[in-house]
Amino acid sequence: MRTTVGIIGGGPAGLLLARLLHRAGIACVVLECRTRAYVEQRQRAGMLEQGTVDALRECGAAERLEIEGLVHHGIELRFDRERHHIDFPVLTGGRTVTIYAQTELVKDLVALQLADGPPLLFEAEALAIERPESDSPRVRFVHEGQEQTLNCDYVVGCDGFHGIARGTFPAELSRTYEHDYPYSWLGILADVAPSCEELVYARGDSGFALHSMRSPSVSRLYLQVPNDTDPGDWPDDRIWDELSARFAIDADWTLERGPITSKAVTTMRSYVHEPMRHGRLFLAGDAAHIVPPTGAKGLNLAVSDVRVLARGFVQLHLTGSSQLLDRYGELCLSRVWQATRFSYDMTRMLHKQPDGDAFEDRLQLTRLRRITSSRPAAAELAANYTGLPLAL
């Protein structure tokens, strides 16, 4: 099998890159090790930055998003039993965010790919990336019980943290930066209408809580919990009681309860791999970087990676110049580190630190007071949350 760009991973990053390349007339093949059903049901983030929405519109993948996506004009910060609204359009010149479940985004991209896009092979496990330093790298993979070879001009690893792409980089070339957080999130899906119109980030006496949503009838909520938490130790009533306590304000507001359909614990970590390119092998998304979910940056960073990469391939295709491709890592890492810093700051500001003391507690409240009382501070949060512009 022969193509121009071999893409390992059929998540949002790989699928969107394939869509962008296909519309530019650049041949590509996507190899996804999981089944279509698994990929389309995998629960992940659902907050889309303005730039992510724009990218989906530009490549014709936003038809359902335009109908079902929930546009949010801000977030709410809660602490000391008070509520404070951060108005994104006012602070950013009109930018917003959109809630649209990643499961639905993947379904849209898969449908487009299978209908008129380049090959998308499910249950195609990549075994090795060979000769990435050469002009003709190749991917060995197994599909339908047979080992095959995909010969490429370039390979893009969108295969996540546990994929093979990052491990192909020589050890002497790789530099990793990571930080593990001393707490996790217990996340639930509940069949109940959201109790608020926008996301609520709450700093409660016993820890952090987040109120989000998946649709007008499905709520997504999170609780800060210890790292060794077993979801089975949290019966439904205990979860709702704790959420109600952490969201409590001195106003007429009630957290609506409903049947909980899913419980899972998510660990929190920051991770960056440098560089993001080795020869003709590129990393994108979780293969190169991971951020805690507090800032809602993970999916959006992956999208920004492939937008830069797609523009580089298009420039090469149209002009023969590799100037943008050669700057891929530089351009992406600048944004990655800004998002890593933002996610770290949000996490540290809103979560109870297990080893914290009264001094740490007062610093957190002071940071929150600064954001909610200072337009420049609020504007900085809004700019990062809605998405910094691509540095192109």
Side-chain angles (χ1 to χ4, degrees):
M1 189 180 297
R2 183 76 175 80
T3 193
T4 302
V5 181
I7 302 171
I8 305 175
L15 292 169
L16 180 58
L17 177 59
R19 185 68 185 165
L20 293 169
L21 295 181
H22 174 64
R23 288 173 67 89
I26 300 171
C28 62
V29 173
V30 181
L31 306 177
E32 167 54 49
C33 67
R34 302 285 192 169
T35 65
R36 178 179 180 180
Y38 179 91
V39 170
E40 292 185 341
Q41 294 169 10
R42 188 164 41 191
Q43 291 290 339
R44 291 291 188 273
M47 197 289 290
L48 309 183
E49 293 176 355
Q50 180 77 62
T52 297
V53 173
D54 293 343
L56 293 168
R57 287 171 176 158
E58 290 165 9
C59 72
E63 183 176 345
R64 256 198 334 137
L65 168 64
E66 301 283 16
I67 298 171
E68 301 177 19
L70 306 176
V71 177
H72 284 194
H73 295 85
I75 59 172
E76 186 176 298
L77 297 177
R78 292 191 181 185
F79 57 94
D80 272 0
R81 302 185 65 86
E82 301 171 2
R83 63 199 307 179
H84 302 267
H85 182 247
I86 306 297
D87 192 315
F88 290 161
V90 168
L91 294 165
T92 65
R95 296 173 71 81
T96 60
V97 298
T98 301
I99 299 297
Y100 188 64
Q102 180 172 312
T103 49
E104 304 309 309
L105 172 59
V106 168
K107 289 176 186 176
D108 296 342
L109 290 169
V110 167
L112 287 169
Q113 184 91 346
L114 296 178
D116 66 357
L120 165 57
L121 305 182
F122 289 106
E123 299 181 82
E125 181 183 3
L127 302 176
I129 302 167
E130 300 176 339
R131 306 182 312 204
E133 305 94 338
S134 73
D135 292 341
S136 54
R138 62 190 184 190
V139 181
R140 286 195 297 108
F141 67 99
V142 173
H143 185 238
E144 297 181 342
Q146 294 188 346
E147 184 170 319
Q148 303 181 46
T149 300
L150 177 62
N151 295 291
C152 320
D153 293 331
Y154 297 90
V155 178
V156 181
C158 302
D159 52 347
F161 184 78
H162 299 289
I164 67 167
R166 189 180 66 257
T168 304
F169 280 56
E172 64 272 16
L173 180 66
S174 296
R175 301 181 302 276
T176 59
Y177 307 87
E178 53 191 316
H179 176 74
D180 293 319
Y181 296 83
Y183 33 74
S184 300
W185 279 9
L186 172 61
I188 67 166
L189 280 172
D191 287 337
V192 60
S195 302
C196 48
E197 296 181 356
E198 295 174 338
L199 273 68
V200 176
Y201 287 77
R203 180 192 178 279
D205 290 339
S206 56
F208 168 78
L210 172 63
H211 188 310
S212 182
M213 60 281 296
R214 282 295 176 263
S215 73
S217 60
V218 177
S219 295
R220 183 72 158 153
L221 302 105
Y222 300 91
L223 282 170
Q224 176 188 346
V225 293
N227 277 337
D228 57 354
T229 294
D230 179 351
D233 293 336
W234 284 78
D236 293 4
D237 285 345
R238 182 186 177 190
I239 291 174
W240 288 118
D241 289 346
E242 188 61 31
L243 285 167
S244 296
R246 296 188 192 185
F247 286 124
I249 53 174
D250 292 328
D252 184 17
W253 182 86
T254 301
L255 176 67
E256 299 298 331
R257 304 186 179 204
I260 294 176
T261 59
S262 173
K263 300 177 189 177
V265 171
T266 300
T267 57
M268 312 275 282
R269 69 181 315 205
S270 297
Y271 177 92
V272 180
H273 179 279
E274 296 184 5
M276 291 177 63
R277 177 183 183 178
H278 170 51
R280 293 199 170 194
L281 168 62
F282 298 84
L283 301 180
D286 286 358
H289 42 74
I290 296 173
V291 291
T294 323
K297 297 292 107 182
L299 169 63
N300 295 291
L301 276 181
V303 169
S304 64
D305 287 348
V306 300
R307 291 177 71 194
V308 174
L309 200 50
R311 293 187 189 186
F313 283 128
V314 170
Q315 181 189 63
L316 180 66
H317 178 68
L318 296 178
T319 70
S321 171
S322 63
Q323 181 182 18
L324 189 50
L325 279 180
D326 292 340
R327 297 185 61 212
Y328 169 71
E330 167 199 345
L331 295 172
C332 288
L333 283 169
S334 174
R335 184 183 178 91
V336 165
W337 276 111
Q338 287 294 338
T340 300
R341 187 271 313 162
F342 173 69
S343 300
Y344 176 86
D345 287 349
M346 286 280 285
T347 303
R348 289 286 302 187
M349 178 175 66
L350 290 162
H351 289 72
K352 274 285 190 183
Q353 304 305 313
D355 58 350
D357 53 18
F359 179 78
E360 175 74 24
D361 188 69
R362 295 300 291 176
L363 283 182
Q364 288 180 318
L365 289 172
T366 300
R367 293 188 189 105
L368 287 163
R369 290 287 178 200
R370 171 66 178 169
I371 290 169
T372 56
S373 63
S374 163
R375 184 184 177 98
E380 173 70 9
L381 184 152
N384 280 274
Y385 199 98
T386 58
L388 299 175
L390 289 183
L392 294 177

